[in-house]
Amino acid sequence: MSAAARPDLASAWARVAALAERSGRDPAEVLSPERLSRLCGVEPALVPEVVAGTAPEVPLCRRVHRRFLRLRATRRDKHGREWSLAAIAEDFQAPGASLGPLNAGTGMPRLGHAAGVQRFFGVYSGFLLADSQCAVEHALATTDAADDLEHLSYLTGMPPHDIRRTLDGAPPRLPLKEQVHQRFEHLRRTRLRADGQAHSLAAIAHSFDASGQSLTRLARGEGLPNLAAAAGIQRFYGVDGGFLLADDTEALATALSGIEHELETAGRNAGNPMLAVLRAHDVRNIVTRAGRLSPAGWKSLADHLDDLLAREGRLGRPGAGGERPLPAAVPDDRKAAEGGAP
């Protein structure tokens, strides 16, 4: 991403701080490095440098490894323990050993494994990887035009009829290979060159130092790109790179944008908090289906909710501390902190 195209994080930070004050929230709590780190995967000590634009570039392999470790450290099970590699991999029918190189930082996961890890931990997986529900939720967070299916289609890469099904609580379940192929073709069809023509495979691949031939199977719908190619495609078209793929600036910008939208929505719905909850979540649909459960089913549902809340760090989560509302200087011992924690 060019310097001119990078988001102005300092301005976004100031806007979020002002919105927090207007809504009666403590800016130090809303913008604490620990909270932002949990949302975007950037180490707390690096947050001020990322905001200032002075953070060092991190190779993709190391960045993905560090964010995977942060997912395991910050999204624990309901007993407060890190999820095992076997438990994570089992969720997408893979052996725990297949995540060993990712956990050790010695290799990159396959694209399907990266998507599975992100789904397991409930983080936004980016334009090419997000399932239908996540893609629509992310798009709705960036627009008020909830009924403009064509605009939502442009943002998500999903056909309008699939968006309507998703909004109605019945999202399509496409195989990952087909989903990635459809969204890649959507990018090529809707993000054209200045002359109105689609970007060639060679031009796209050249942007991340690969050959156009490396994207041929993806264009034909015959295979998945590797993780580095997926990241390059998303950067080329300027769409969200996702939790594991985005560089630190993009990831933090996404986190700040989400907080900003959350605060603005809270301000608009301050007079009726229950209405805000009902609008933000498909509560009616969930309750209707749950009403058909047996007593044993209700208990199983409650246990499963505890697991989901634990993954997202919301099971008995204490309030955040009182850091200052503006980014402070990075501590002198940052290198030591980087060496000791992901």
Side-chain angles (χ1 to χ4, degrees):
M1 182 183 290
S2 67
R6 287 190 176 274
D8 185 350
L9 294 182
S11 296
W13 188 286
R15 289 196 305 272
V16 171
L19 279 168
E21 289 182 346
R22 287 202 298 271
S23 61
R25 300 275 298 278
D26 181 4
E29 176 184 340
V30 171
L31 291 167
S32 72
E34 286 73 19
R35 181 174 190 245
L36 292 174
S37 175
R38 190 178 185 284
L39 289 169
C40 67
V42 179
E43 291 86 341
L46 279 178
V47 167
E49 286 193 29
V50 175
V51 173
T54 59
E57 289 291 332
V58 179
L60 180 63
C61 184
R62 184 182 173 203
R63 188 167 72 235
V64 171
H65 163 63
R66 283 173 17 179
R67 295 194 181 171
F68 178 66
L69 294 186
R70 286 208 62 77
L71 280 175
R72 295 189 70 203
T74 59
R75 273 84 168 171
R76 296 174 179 262
D77 66 19
K78 60 186 175 184
H79 304 293
R81 296 189 293 260
E82 283 192 355
W83 292 94
S84 67
L85 299 183
I88 299 169
E90 182 183 6
D91 195 60
F92 49 93
Q93 291 81 51
S98 65
L99 295 179
L102 170 61
N103 191 62
T106 57
M108 295 276 279
R110 296 168 55 188
L111 194 66
H113 285 43
V117 167
Q118 293 170 140
R119 283 196 302 269
F120 179 86
F121 285 108
V123 293
Y124 182 68
S125 49
F127 191 91
L128 292 181
L129 297 179
D131 61 24
S132 299
Q133 191 70 42
C134 290
V136 170
E137 287 173 356
H138 187 75
L140 288 175
T142 63
T143 178
D144 291 326
D147 295 324
D148 187 347
L149 298 186
E150 291 298 332
H151 183 52
L152 291 178
S153 176
Y154 178 84
L155 291 173
T156 64
M158 296 165 57
H161 64 273
D162 281 351
I163 291 177
R164 173 52 62 197
R165 288 177 57 192
T166 301
L167 292 171
D168 289 340
R173 301 296 183 190
L174 293 177
L176 182 63
K177 183 170 71 174
E178 183 180 347
Q179 174 183 298
V180 172
H181 169 64
Q182 283 189 5
R183 295 190 183 177
F184 178 60
E185 289 303 304
H186 175 84
L187 285 174
R188 297 190 69 204
R189 187 173 62 253
T190 61
R191 275 78 167 174
L192 303 174
R193 299 184 319 201
D195 62 2
Q197 300 299 309
H199 292 278
S200 68
L201 297 181
I204 299 168
H206 179 71
S207 71
F208 51 94
D209 302 319
S211 67
Q213 189 175 6
S214 66
L215 297 180
T216 301
R217 294 187 70 237
L218 170 61
R220 291 175 178 170
E222 298 173 353
L224 285 167
N226 61 38
L227 208 58
I233 290 167
Q234 293 169 144
R235 283 196 303 271
F236 179 84
Y237 283 107
V239 293
D240 195 298
F243 191 92
L244 290 182
L245 298 179
D247 67 31
D248 287 351
T249 298
E250 293 166 307
L252 190 55
T254 299
L256 288 171
S257 175
I259 294 171
E260 184 177 1
H261 180 267
E262 171 193 329
L263 292 170
E264 289 176 332
T265 302
R268 289 196 298 267
N269 295 291
N272 192 339
M274 181 59 71
L275 180 60
V277 172
L278 292 173
R279 285 176 175 171
H281 308 283
D282 192 3
V283 174
R284 182 176 60 182
N285 186 32
I286 293 172
V287 171
T288 299
R289 287 181 290 163
R292 300 196 293 268
L293 290 173
S294 66
W298 274 104
K299 184 179 184 305
S300 177
L301 176 61
D303 290 340
H304 185 56
L305 284 173
D306 280 346
D307 283 338
L308 291 176
L309 288 168
R311 286 188 199 178
E312 297 186 4
R314 299 174 184 272
L315 188 65
R317 184 178 63 185
E323 283 79 3
R324 286 174 297 184
L326 291 176
V330 177
D332 292 334
D333 59 349
R334 175 171 63 81
K335 291 185 179 180
E338 284 186 334

